[in-house]
Coordinates of all heavy atoms in Angstrom, one line a residue:
Y1 N 2.8 -6.6 7.3 CA 4.0 -6.5 6.6 C 4.7 -7.8 6.4 O 5.2 -8.1 5.3 CB 5.0 -5.6 7.3 CG 4.6 -4.1 7.4 CD1 5.0 -3.3 8.4 CD2 3.7 -3.6 6.4 CE1 4.7 -2.0 8.5 CE2 3.4 -2.2 6.5 CZ 3.8 -1.4 7.5 OH 3.5 -0.1 7.6
R2 N 4.7 -8.7 7.4 CA 5.4 -10.0 7.3 C 4.7 -10.8 6.2 O 5.3 -11.5 5.4 CB 5.3 -10.7 8.6 CG 6.0 -12.0 8.5 CD 6.1 -12.7 9.8 NE 7.1 -12.1 10.6 CZ 7.3 -12.4 11.9 NH1 6.5 -13.3 12.5 NH2 8.3 -11.8 12.6
A3 N 3.3 -10.8 6.2 CA 2.6 -11.6 5.2 C 2.9 -11.1 3.8 O 2.9 -11.9 2.8 CB 1.1 -11.5 5.5
A4 N 3.2 -9.8 3.6 CA 3.5 -9.3 2.3 C 5.0 -9.5 2.0 O 5.5 -9.1 0.9 CB 3.2 -7.8 2.3
G5 N 5.8 -10.0 2.9 CA 7.2 -10.3 2.6 C 8.1 -9.1 2.9 O 9.2 -9.1 2.4
I6 N 7.7 -8.2 3.7 CA 8.5 -7.0 4.0 C 9.4 -7.3 5.2 O 8.9 -7.7 6.2 CB 7.6 -5.8 4.2 CG1 6.8 -5.5 2.9 CG2 8.3 -4.6 4.7 CD1 5.8 -4.5 3.0
T7 N 10.6 -6.9 5.1 CA 11.6 -7.2 6.1 C 12.2 -6.0 6.8 O 12.8 -6.1 7.8 CB 12.7 -8.1 5.6 OG1 13.3 -7.4 4.5 CG2 12.2 -9.4 5.2
N8 N 12.0 -4.8 6.2 CA 12.6 -3.6 6.8 C 11.6 -2.4 6.7 O 10.7 -2.5 5.9 CB 14.0 -3.2 6.2 CG 13.9 -3.0 4.7 OD1 12.8 -2.6 4.2 ND2 15.0 -3.2 4.0
F9 N 11.9 -1.4 7.5 CA 10.9 -0.3 7.6 C 10.9 0.6 6.3 O 9.9 1.2 6.0 CB 11.2 0.6 8.8 CG 10.8 -0.1 10.1 CD1 11.8 -0.5 11.0 CD2 9.5 -0.4 10.3 CE1 11.4 -1.2 12.1 CE2 9.1 -1.0 11.5 CZ 10.1 -1.4 12.4
C10 N 12.0 0.6 5.6 CA 12.0 1.4 4.3 C 11.0 0.8 3.3 O 10.3 1.5 2.7 CB 13.4 1.4 3.7 SG 13.6 2.4 2.2
S11 N 11.1 -0.5 3.2 CA 10.1 -1.2 2.4 C 8.7 -1.1 2.9 O 7.7 -1.0 2.1 CB 10.5 -2.7 2.3 OG 11.7 -2.9 1.8
A12 N 8.5 -1.0 4.2 CA 7.2 -0.8 4.8 C 6.6 0.5 4.4 O 5.4 0.6 4.1 CB 7.3 -0.9 6.3
R13 N 7.5 1.6 4.4 CA 7.0 2.9 3.9 C 6.5 2.8 2.5 O 5.5 3.4 2.1 CB 8.1 3.9 4.1 CG 7.7 5.1 4.9 CD 8.8 6.1 5.1 NE 9.8 5.5 6.0 CZ 11.1 5.5 5.8 NH1 11.6 6.1 4.7 NH2 12.0 5.0 6.7
T14 N 7.3 2.2 1.6 CA 6.9 2.0 0.2 C 5.6 1.2 0.1 O 4.7 1.6 -0.7 CB 8.1 1.3 -0.6 OG1 9.3 2.0 -0.4 CG2 7.7 1.3 -2.0
Y15 N 5.5 0.2 0.9 CA 4.3 -0.7 0.9 C 3.1 0.2 1.3 O 2.0 0.1 0.6 CB 4.5 -1.8 1.8 CG 3.3 -2.7 2.0 CD1 2.9 -3.6 1.0 CD2 2.5 -2.6 3.1 CE1 1.8 -4.4 1.2 CE2 1.3 -3.4 3.3 CZ 1.0 -4.3 2.3 OH -0.1 -5.0 2.5
D16 N 3.2 1.0 2.3 CA 2.1 1.8 2.7 C 1.7 2.8 1.7 O 0.5 3.0 1.4 CB 2.4 2.6 4.0 CG 2.5 1.7 5.2 OD1 1.8 0.6 5.2 OD2 3.1 2.0 6.2
H17 N 2.7 3.4 1.0 CA 2.4 4.3 -0.1 C 1.7 3.6 -1.2 O 0.7 4.2 -1.7 CB 3.7 5.0 -0.6 CG 3.5 5.9 -1.7 ND1 2.9 7.1 -1.6 CD2 3.9 5.8 -3.0 CE1 2.9 7.7 -2.8 NE2 3.4 6.9 -3.7
L18 N 2.1 2.5 -1.6 CA 1.5 1.7 -2.7 C 0.1 1.3 -2.3 O -0.8 1.3 -3.1 CB 2.3 0.5 -3.1 CG 3.7 0.9 -3.8 CD1 4.5 -0.3 -4.1 CD2 3.4 1.6 -5.1
K19 N -0.1 0.9 -1.1 CA -1.4 0.4 -0.6 C -2.4 1.6 -0.6 O -3.5 1.4 -1.0 CB -1.3 -0.1 0.8 CG -2.6 -0.6 1.4 CD -2.4 -1.2 2.8 CE -3.7 -1.6 3.4 NZ -3.6 -2.0 4.8
K20 N -1.9 2.8 -0.3 CA -2.8 4.0 -0.3 C -3.2 4.3 -1.7 O -4.3 4.6 -2.0 CB -2.0 5.2 0.3 CG -2.8 6.4 0.3 CD -2.1 7.5 1.0 CE -2.8 8.8 0.9 NZ -2.1 10.0 1.5
S21 N -2.2 4.2 -2.7 CA -2.6 4.4 -4.1 C -3.5 3.4 -4.6 O -4.4 3.7 -5.4 CB -1.3 4.5 -4.9 OG -0.7 3.3 -5.0
R22 N -3.4 2.1 -4.2 CA -4.3 1.0 -4.6 C -5.7 1.3 -4.1 O -6.7 1.1 -4.8 CB -3.8 -0.3 -4.1 CG -2.8 -1.0 -4.9 CD -2.6 -2.4 -4.5 NE -2.4 -2.6 -3.1 CZ -1.2 -2.7 -2.5 NH1 -0.1 -2.7 -3.2 NH2 -1.2 -2.9 -1.2
D23 N -5.8 1.8 -2.8 CA -7.1 2.1 -2.3 C -7.8 3.3 -3.0 O -9.0 3.3 -3.2 CB -7.0 2.5 -0.8 CG -6.6 1.2 0.1 OD1 -6.8 0.1 -0.4 OD2 -6.1 1.4 1.2
E24 N -6.9 4.2 -3.4 CA -7.5 5.4 -4.2 C -8.0 4.9 -5.6 O -9.1 5.3 -6.1 CB -6.4 6.4 -4.4 CG -6.2 7.2 -3.1 CD -5.0 8.2 -3.3 OE1 -4.4 8.2 -4.4 OE2 -4.7 8.9 -2.3
E25 N -7.3 3.9 -6.2 CA -7.7 3.4 -7.5 C -9.0 2.6 -7.3 O -9.9 2.6 -8.2 CB -6.6 2.5 -8.1 CG -5.4 3.2 -8.7 CD -5.9 4.1 -9.8 OE1 -6.7 3.7 -10.7 OE2 -5.4 5.2 -9.9
R26 N -9.1 1.8 -6.2 CA -10.3 1.1 -5.9 C -11.5 2.0 -5.8 O -12.6 1.8 -6.2 CB -10.1 0.2 -4.7 CG -11.2 -0.7 -4.4 CD -10.9 -1.6 -3.2 NE -9.7 -2.4 -3.4 CZ -8.7 -2.4 -2.6 NH1 -8.7 -1.7 -1.4 NH2 -7.6 -3.1 -2.8
L27 N -11.2 3.2 -5.1 CA -12.3 4.2 -5.0 C -12.7 4.7 -6.3 O -13.9 4.9 -6.6 CB -11.8 5.3 -4.1 CG -12.8 6.4 -3.8 CD1 -14.0 6.0 -3.1 CD2 -12.1 7.6 -3.1
K28 N -11.8 4.9 -7.2 CA -12.1 5.4 -8.6 C -12.9 4.4 -9.3 O -13.9 4.7 -10.0 CB -10.9 5.8 -9.3 CG -10.2 7.1 -8.9 CD -9.0 7.4 -9.7 CE -8.3 8.7 -9.2 NZ -7.2 9.0 -10.1
R29 N -12.6 3.1 -9.1 CA -13.4 2.1 -9.8 C -14.8 2.0 -9.3 O -15.7 1.8 -10.1 CB -12.7 0.7 -9.6 CG -11.7 0.4 -10.7 CD -11.2 -1.0 -10.7 NE -9.9 -0.9 -10.0 CZ -9.5 -1.7 -9.0 NH1 -10.3 -2.6 -8.5 NH2 -8.3 -1.5 -8.4
T30 N -15.0 2.2 -8.0 CA -16.3 2.2 -7.5 C -17.1 3.4 -8.0 O -18.3 3.4 -8.2 CB -16.3 2.2 -6.0 OG1 -15.6 3.4 -5.5 CG2 -15.7 1.0 -5.4
M31 N -16.4 4.5 -8.3 CA -17.0 5.7 -8.8 C -17.5 5.4 -10.3 O -18.5 5.8 -10.7 CB -16.1 6.9 -8.8 CG -15.9 7.4 -7.4 SD -14.7 8.8 -7.5 CE -15.8 10.1 -7.2

């Protein structure tokens, strides 16, 4: 989180959600 510039837990939740969607997109690209 710190490396990504996140300073509070609300932003961390958003970051986790976006990271999950990025991973799903990466999975679709491999498909």
Side-chain angles (χ1 to χ4, degrees):
Y1 291 155
R2 179 177 285 172
I6 295 172
T7 57
N8 57 28
F9 287 112
C10 182
S11 300
R13 235 179 288 129
T14 305
Y15 175 78
D16 286 336
H17 177 70
L18 292 173
K19 183 179 177 186
K20 182 179 176 183
S21 65
R22 278 193 310 265
D23 290 341
E24 288 173 357
E25 285 297 320
R26 188 175 302 125
L27 178 65
K28 286 182 181 180
R29 272 189 260 130
T30 58
M31 292 177 103

